[in-house]
Amino acid sequence: MTELRDTVLRVEHLTMRFGGLVAVDDLSFDVARGGITALIGPNGAGKTTVFNCITGFYNASEGRLALLHGDPALWNLLDALTAGGSRSLRQGNSALFLLERMPDYLVTQQARVARTFQNIRLFPGMTVLENLMVAQHNALMVASGFTVLGILGFPSYARAERAAIEKARSWLDRIGLTARADDPAGDLPYGAQRRLEVARAMCTDPVLLCLDEPAAGLNPRESAELNALLLDIRNDFGTSILLIEHDMSVVMEISDHIVVLDYGVKIADGTPQEVRNDPAVIAAYLGVQDEEVEKAQAEVGL
Amino acid sequence: MEVFLQQLINGITLGSIYGLIAIGYTMVFGIIGMVNFAHGDVFMVSAFIALIAFLILTSWLGIGSIMLALLIVLIVAMLFTSLVNWVIERVAYRPLRGSFRLAPLISAIGMSIFLSNFVQVAQGPRNKSVPPMVHGEFVLMTRNGYPVTLSVKQLVIWGVTAVLLVAFWYVVTRTSLGRAQRACEQDQKMAALLGVDVDRTISMTFVIAAALAAVAGTMYLMHYGVITFSDGFVPGVKAFTAAVLGGIGSLPGAVVGGILIGLIETMWSAYFSTDYKDVAAFSVLAITLIFLPQGLFGRPDVEKV
Amino acid sequence: MSKKSEIAAAQSERVDLTRALRDAGLAALLAFALFLPLIGFWARNVGEGLLLVTRWDALALVVLIVAAARLFYTLVAQPWLKRQRARRTEIAPPWRTALAKWFIPFAIGFVVVYPLIAIAGAGMRGSIKWVDNFGIQILIYVMLGFGLNIVVGLAGLLDLGYVAFYAVGAYSYALLAKTFGLTFWILLPLAGVLASFWGVLLGFPVLRLRGDYLAIVTLAFGEIIRIVIVNWVDLTNGYAGITSIPRPTFFGIPFNADDNGFAAVFGLEFTPLHRTLFLYYIILGLALLTAWVTVRLRRLPVGRAWEALREDEIACRSLGINTTNTKLTAFAMGAMFAGFAGSFFAARQGFISPESFTFIESATILSIVVLGGMGSQVGVAIAAIVMIGGTEIMRELDFLKEIFGADFDPTKYRMLLFGFCMVLIMVWRPRGLIATRRPSVFLKERKTISADLVKEGHG
């Protein structure tokens, strides 16, 4: 298992059924550590369902979703962990998680997988800064002695809060929203909301960042800014990124690895160059082969 | 067995009253997504209107035929209660449509308090009892000296409920009003764009809900022979339970739920304890909402991520 | 303004007047039909039977009132509201910001010296009523409002059975004080703990529910607890209630006319006012404590998580927040304050019965929270003063008897007007009196957030 050395997330035989509908069928792929992996496919291909399974919002019908922190040697213990009943396995600073066994909030809190949503889910009535503070909830909760010390006004909480504000400010600088820190998030323009959602997810200190159509609805300039932001995140924080995207300019420009889904089944998996030339991918996106289109046009007399 | 049969008859009678009120909850919830808290009190008001109409007919006009009197009472109660509910919707709910979701609920609670206190002030706090309107009963069977009876008034309740349900069913499934209602349930904006008069459709929903509540009110008065200003709350909650049990938004569900609640209540009283019979209804409500929130006939609510 | 437009304006006003008169006529007609059965006729209880009586005078009066109200609305209230609405977009005048800045310290100062004002105004004997019926009564509701505000206003969980926790607090105090002879200051925290335990217990099964469903289940729980209190006669004495509950003492010194009573010990002349004042400052302290704790909680991660939960639960989960615990802490905190208020209530009354814990109480507390503007403590306090003070003042309107005759009993109309005002205030201000939200933390300046953006929660 040499290729596993650089893997952060392993999706194996993932299947998700809703009643009789099979939304994702026996899907397997790996997400490379420190890389940008794109999950693409036509509408209704099951991409968001895969995200919801990874982040614990859905319980996968079948399959294994394993995530690694730290030492790749731990991958060798994966089968042992699966056979045992527990959710995770820790060794020093390294840990292995079985995401399908964890509820949604633990996927973020312990396995440190953060996500954004297709239809932006900010807290619109809270300020931009507050949104970023909520994202640091778990760290601040510990610092406030689970509320008790915080209520009594211990200085340790005040220190932690200042540090959290500082961290939020550094993210605001990065996404260019420092001037709007005290405005409600619901007042921001669309593109800024998208960037804020990414920053908010990053405030949870994720190992893996899952972005559901981050460029949807952005104009070309905003889209380019987003590309720069994602590359920054990868380079500066080493966070692995898994993204769903329809905008091919984003996908082809920044991703290292692309997985193509159609009707819940993986039809291609490789580098952008490989995927671009894959006949199955072309067929899925354009429907049919070119000569068939020509034939059909000839029949109707065009 | 005899006790069971007797309770079955009683339960279905009580249940058809709850079912008629439950339709009002379910229709209003279906179309504007609001628990019409005042509906139980509208039911109580309708029973008082029926009481007044009955007194006018019998003590003033001296109508001899009790069936004719009952028919007139029913029509008068339906008319006036519909008017009451139409005004309530105009005054207390329509201005709040599309605003803050809690506002109509609070407004409905306020309306509920207003209605029960209005009746208390206007008609006095004491119980109002009327002499039995309909006499006679059939003994269906007697075993071990325990007769199983079906009274004429129970038959009347069953008959009236059945006839009105058929009429109501026709209105909501076969007429343009029913179609408009279903369209508004799905998407009010789109319905309005396609030329459905949303305001009028919602008004009509309240009118129909009130008319059915008035039937229930008249039947309640006839069945128990006594009414007081505070009689809206508990039957209201029970009818709401029926609506939830049947699956809120589902019309057949409301009727089936009503009969189930009626049966649970009478059986509970017969076999366990009358002190805790309201606990039974409230527990059914809580248990249904927690374990079967879509009810028996409702569509499951899938969480969208 | 030119001559021409002046004439046009005058004309349109005349047209308005005819329209207003027509509207008033229609309203009168509608009111006549609406009130004909239940005001025009009266099924009067005579002995066992009923006697049908007509009351055309009362019907005429009501119809006239409705017509006049409609006329007033179209001619005065509606244009005024329109002007208000147009003005709302402008920037707040400086006196307003100054008022907002000084309002809270001034209000706290006022409630601290309020009993002295009452004594100065009404004398030693007369002031008891003002301190007790208005001061203590309103402060109990302010405290309950603050407690429920955590659940409904911050966490966005709609609770219609809040009075159950108030009842748990009251019965805990009454039973434990009578059975074990424990004192008020031991039982106060204990009642809070017991109530919050019940908050968690009842909160647990309803975690998954949303929207109105949550409201209805909490209502059902509230009613179940009340019915159990009514029927568990061995423990609670049922409808008759629990009497002679020990009253709180001043560090062991009772407030009575005995030789070791408060008045004798401090060499004062005995008056029941001493105890009333003592109770007033206890409930004031409790209400201020609740407010202070809530202010603090909002700046802690748990408070922010509550508000985030109200805004978007799914987003909360995606940020690693355990929404189950977050909801349960909201229920527990809210219930705890209700438990404090309940045990204070039992200690103040010396008598409790299920009558005090009906659904109407829950509805009243919830309407205080919503009318105040969800999440705003100042709003909740103002709403409690308006709602509770308003209904209490109805008891004081004896002078109306001079106008309407000795039969006229204003207290009869108390709840009627209460319900009517609830509807009226909601229609007037659906988001409550103070609808803006103050951010819990800021980088440069604290800007208030308009209500249009703040979500109301799904529960």
Side-chain angles (χ1 to χ4, degrees):
Chain A
M1 296 221 282
T2 45
E3 86 274 19
L4 271 180
R5 284 200 54 80
D6 299 321
T7 300
V8 66
L9 173 75
R10 249 210 126 189
V11 175
E12 292 170 294
H13 307 292
L14 174 68
T15 300
M16 183 72 209
R17 292 185 210 95
F18 296 101
L21 176 81
V22 183
V24 178
D25 191 7
D26 196 29
L27 173 70
S28 301
F29 67 92
D30 288 346
V31 175
R33 185 205 301 257
I36 297 181
T37 305
L39 193 57
I40 65 169
N43 284 325
K47 306 182 294 292
T48 299
T49 307
V50 173
F51 260 42
N52 285 339
C53 289
I54 293 173
T55 51
F57 281 90
Y58 290 162
N59 286 322
S61 311
E62 275 167 46
R64 182 161 74 176
L65 302 158
L67 184 106
L68 178 84
H69 293 179
D71 186 4
L74 245 60
W75 281 123
N76 299 324
L77 301 172
L78 180 57
D79 288 330
L81 174 61
T82 313
S86 59
R87 290 168 176 159
S88 61
L89 182 150
R90 282 171 199 280
Q91 235 173 45
N93 286 329
S94 307
L96 196 57
F97 298 90
L98 286 177
L99 303 182
E100 78 276 12
R101 293 185 183 171
M102 302 169 81
D104 42 29
Y105 72 93
L106 283 185
V107 170
T108 309
Q109 193 182 328
Q110 296 183 352
R112 300 196 2 234
V113 177
R115 72 171 290 177
T116 64
F117 297 88
Q118 202 170 334
N119 45 348
I120 309 174
R121 281 184 176 271
L122 289 170
F123 305 120
M126 300 175 90
T127 64
V128 170
L129 178 63
E130 281 179 306
N131 268 273
L132 298 182
M133 295 295 279
V134 173
Q136 301 176 57
H137 175 84
N138 288 313
L140 285 172
M141 204 66 183
V142 174
S144 71
F146 297 90
T147 309
V148 180
L149 301 182
I151 284 243
L152 299 174
F154 271 61
S156 62
Y157 174 67
R159 267 201 306 276
E161 194 184 33
R162 272 198 300 277
I165 293 175
E166 218 29 66
K167 182 173 172 186
R169 189 214 285 273
S170 75
W171 274 105
L172 290 176
D173 288 342
R174 206 175 267 271
I175 60 173
L177 284 178
T178 315
R180 304 212 58 180
D182 299 319
D183 288 332
D187 264 356
L188 294 182
Y190 189 82
Q193 292 197 11
R194 283 252 175 240
R195 291 203 303 277
L196 178 59
E197 208 191 10
V198 174
R200 190 182 67 175
M202 282 307 292
C203 276
T204 64
D205 291 331
V207 166
L208 175 66
L209 178 64
C210 299
L211 305 169
D212 198 344
E213 297 197 25
L218 300 188
N219 63 35
R221 191 176 56 83
E222 287 172 326
S223 192
E225 279 172 13
L226 182 83
N227 283 357
L229 176 67
L230 297 186
L231 289 170
D232 267 5
I233 287 174
R234 186 189 62 177
N235 299 338
D236 297 357
F237 296 86
T239 309
S240 318
I241 296 175
L242 175 63
L243 67 102
I244 293 176
E245 193 48 75
H246 281 300
D247 187 337
M248 285 304 142
S249 71
V250 174
V251 173
M252 293 299 165
E253 200 170 305
I254 66 170
S255 40
D256 310 311
H257 176 201
I258 296 178
V259 176
V260 190
L261 277 189
D262 194 17
Y263 294 109
V265 180
K266 184 167 88 172
I267 55 171
D269 186 345
T271 64
Q273 204 51 48
E274 287 164 5
V275 166
R276 201 196 299 258
N277 299 325
D278 190 310
V281 176
I282 294 166
Y285 268 87
L286 299 179
V288 285
Q289 304 270 323
D290 281 355
E291 57 257 38
E292 284 179 48
V293 174
E294 278 160 21
K295 212 169 92 187
Q297 281 174 337
E299 276 170 17
V300 295
L302 273 170
Chain B
M1 187 62 202
E2 306 79 45
V3 179
F4 177 78
L5 265 183
Q6 186 63 61
Q7 294 308 330
L8 191 68
I9 292 171
N10 297 346
I12 291 173
T13 311
L14 191 59
S16 28
I17 293 175
Y18 291 153
L20 286 169
I21 312 174
I23 290 177
Y25 279 108
T26 247
M27 276 173 73
V28 169
F29 190 90
I31 201 158
I32 52 174
M34 157 199 172
V35 177
N36 182 6
F37 220 92
H39 196 60
D41 293 281
V42 169
F43 154 79
M44 179 273 301
V45 165
S46 79
F48 267 90
I49 294 173
L51 173 84
I52 297 287
F54 180 76
L55 287 178
I56 292 175
L57 288 176
T58 53
S59 60
W60 281 16
L61 306 176
I63 285 193
S65 159
I66 204 77
M67 284 302 161
L68 179 66
L70 209 55
L71 187 69
I72 298 175
V73 166
L74 200 59
I75 291 169
V76 168
M78 285 169 83
L79 279 177
F80 278 98
T81 314
S82 299
L83 182 71
V84 168
N85 219 19
W86 183 79
V87 171
I88 290 175
E89 195 270 330
R90 285 298 289 257
V91 173
Y93 306 149
R94 187 175 296 183
L96 297 174
R97 203 182 298 154
S99 94
F100 193 46
R101 193 179 49 81
L102 269 180
L105 185 73
I106 300 294
S107 186
I109 292 173
M111 196 37 97
S112 157
I113 296 173
F114 174 80
L115 286 176
S116 61
N117 282 280
F118 167 74
V119 172
Q120 184 188 12
V121 169
Q123 297 290 326
R126 287 177 58 191
N127 280 353
K128 311 276 171 193
S129 49
V130 286
M133 302 177 194
V134 184
H135 298 275
E137 60 183 23
F138 307 105
V139 177
L140 296 182
M141 59 186 275
T142 308
R143 203 188 281 168
N144 310 330
Y146 186 99
V148 176
T149 60
L150 173 63
S151 63
V152 176
K153 70 182 178 192
Q154 285 174 328
L155 266 182
V156 171
I157 291 175
W158 293 9
V160 171
T161 308
V163 168
L164 278 156
L165 281 183
V166 170
F168 168 72
W169 187 246
Y170 179 80
V171 170
V172 291
T173 54
R174 295 275 182 274
T175 64
S176 60
L177 173 66
R179 207 177 310 120
Q181 275 177 334
R182 275 173 283 139
C184 289
E185 261 174 47
Q186 298 287 326
D187 189 335
Q188 279 186 23
K189 248 184 217 147
M190 196 61 221
L193 284 175
L194 294 174
V196 173
D197 187 342
V198 175
D199 279 347
R200 196 182 139 266
T201 310
I202 291 173
S203 279
M204 283 312 291
T205 306
F206 274 82
V207 163
I208 295 174
L212 292 174
V215 178
T218 312
M219 298 294 124
Y220 184 90
L221 183 68
M222 190 183 79
H223 189 247
Y224 290 102
V226 61
I227 184 87
T228 172
F229 73 94
S230 58
D231 276 351
F233 179 62
V234 171
V237 171
K238 285 179 186 163
F240 179 76
T241 308
V244 170
L245 186 62
I248 200 140
S250 154
L251 299 174
V255 180
V256 174
I259 288 174
L260 276 177
I261 290 294
L263 286 173
I264 289 170
E265 189 182 332
T266 48
M267 296 293 171
W268 184 283
S269 306
Y271 292 103
F272 297 102
S273 118
T274 45
D275 289 343
Y276 285 96
K277 73 173 188 210
D278 291 347
V279 169
F282 286 117
S283 306
V284 170
L285 176 62
I287 291 167
T288 318
L289 281 176
I290 293 166
F291 295 106
L292 192 72
Q294 74 274 23
L296 297 173
F297 295 85
R299 283 180 297 271
D301 178 29
V302 179
E303 185 182 56
K304 281 265 181 210
V305 177
Chain C
M1 200 189 281
S2 73
K3 195 103 184 162
K4 231 178 199 172
S5 65
E6 244 171 79
I7 293 167
Q11 257 170 354
S12 81
E13 218 151 82
R14 230 190 355 264
V15 173
D16 267 350
L17 189 66
T18 48
R19 193 177 64 92
L21 281 173
R22 202 190 58 212
D23 278 357
L26 277 175
L29 207 65
L30 200 60
F32 174 76
L34 212 52
F35 295 114
L36 173 69
L38 295 188
I39 292 185
F41 296 96
W42 178 24
R44 193 172 166 185
N45 290 73
V46 179
E48 288 298 295
L50 294 174
L51 180 71
L52 194 62
V53 192
T54 54
R55 285 185 300 198
W56 302 126
D57 49 346
L59 182 60
L61 184 68
V62 170
V63 168
L64 274 178
I65 290 173
V66 170
R70 176 75 216 195
L71 205 60
F72 175 80
Y73 176 73
T74 32
L75 289 184
V76 183
Q78 210 173 22
W80 182 78
L81 282 175
K82 222 174 248 168
R83 277 202 303 277
Q84 282 294 103
R85 229 155 256 161
R87 202 176 297 160
R88 199 165 292 169
T89 46
E90 293 166 23
I91 302 155
W95 63 266
R96 254 210 179 146
T97 36
L99 182 79
K101 198 172 162 194
W102 291 105
F103 181 76
I104 293 174
F106 176 78
I108 292 174
F110 176 79
V111 288
V112 169
V113 299
Y114 169 75
L116 303 178
I117 299 172
I119 293 171
M124 290 292 261
R125 292 197 71 69
S127 65
I128 292 181
K129 183 181 78 185
W130 290 97
V131 176
D132 194 46
N133 288 5
F134 287 87
I136 297 178
Q137 184 76 3
I138 291 174
L139 282 172
I140 289 179
Y141 281 94
V142 168
M143 178 158 178
L144 288 168
F146 283 167
L148 185 60
N149 192 25
I150 293 177
V151 184
V152 179
L154 295 185
L157 303 161
L158 186 49
D159 187 345
L160 273 182
Y162 191 63
V163 79
F165 309 121
Y166 186 45
V168 168
Y171 273 87
S172 305
Y173 174 75
L175 293 171
L176 293 174
K178 286 196 78 168
T179 322
F180 299 106
L182 297 174
T183 64
F184 177 73
W185 293 107
I186 295 175
L187 287 177
L188 182 75
L190 200 61
V193 170
L194 279 171
S196 64
F197 168 75
W198 276 92
V200 172
L201 206 66
L202 295 187
F204 205 76
V206 302
L207 286 169
R208 288 187 306 143
L209 297 177
R210 324 171 142 254
D212 296 349
Y213 280 15
L214 178 68
I216 300 295
V217 172
T218 50
L219 181 154
F221 282 155
E223 283 296 296
I224 289 172
I225 287 189
R226 192 180 64 83
I227 297 169
V228 169
I229 289 175
V230 167
N231 286 301
W232 194 353
V233 179
D234 293 341
L235 183 72
T236 64
N237 202 23
Y239 273 121
I242 299 175
T243 50
S244 54
I245 299 165
R247 316 295 296 268
T249 55
F250 186 79
F251 303 104
I253 307 169
F255 289 94
N256 55 23
D258 292 350
D259 287 342
N260 56 359
F262 179 82
V265 169
F266 287 89
L268 301 165
E269 195 187 335
F270 174 76
T271 155
L273 182 63
H274 291 152
R275 171 161 46 209
T276 310
L277 286 177
F278 182 59
L279 288 171
Y280 178 85
Y281 284 107
I282 291 179
I283 187 67
L284 179 60
L286 285 173
L288 289 177
L289 177 80
T290 315
W292 181 79
V293 168
T294 313
V295 167
R296 273 239 111 98
L297 283 173
R298 276 199 60 204
R299 293 182 188 159
L300 287 172
V302 68
R304 274 192 212 114
W306 287 337
E307 293 200 75
L309 191 68
R310 177 192 66 204
E311 298 281 318
D312 193 327
E313 183 178 343
I314 286 173
C316 272
R317 275 154 48 187
S318 83
L319 296 174
I321 295 174
N322 183 339
T323 49
T324 305
N325 288 353
T326 308
K327 283 182 187 178
L328 287 180
T329 47
F331 278 125
M333 285 306 277
M336 185 178 80
F337 290 124
F340 288 160
S343 71
F344 173 83
F345 175 75
R348 169 217 182 195
Q349 302 287 104
F351 163 74
I352 50 168
S353 78
E355 288 289 288
S356 312
F357 308 106
T358 54
F359 166 69
I360 293 289
E361 291 297 310
S362 288
T364 307
I365 304 164
L366 179 67
S367 60
I368 285 172
V369 173
V370 177
L371 294 180
M374 300 217 317
S376 159
Q377 309 227 32
V378 175
V380 167
I382 294 173
I385 293 169
V386 171
M387 301 283 284
I388 305 303
T391 47
E392 284 298 317
I393 216 129
M394 293 290 291
R395 294 188 206 272
E396 308 299 322
L397 299 180
D398 279 343
F399 69 90
L400 286 176
K401 282 191 179 161
E402 313 275 316
I403 308 170
F404 294 104
D407 288 345
F408 185 80
D409 178 11
T411 53
K412 243 179 32 175
Y413 300 91
R414 215 164 64 96
M415 290 312 285
L416 182 75
L417 279 175
F418 180 76
F420 185 71
C421 289
M422 264 169 89
V423 177
L424 211 62
I425 298 178
M426 273 297 98
V427 172
W428 173 48
R429 300 203 78 157
R431 302 290 309 220
L433 299 171
I434 297 185
T436 49
R437 177 181 173 270
R438 274 170 73 80
S440 65
V441 61
F442 61 95
L443 207 57
K444 291 196 190 66
E445 61 169 321
R446 195 189 293 279
K447 304 175 183 168
T448 54
I449 295 173
S450 127
D452 307 329
L453 290 169
V454 180
K455 290 271 193 291
E456 58 208 290
H458 45 258

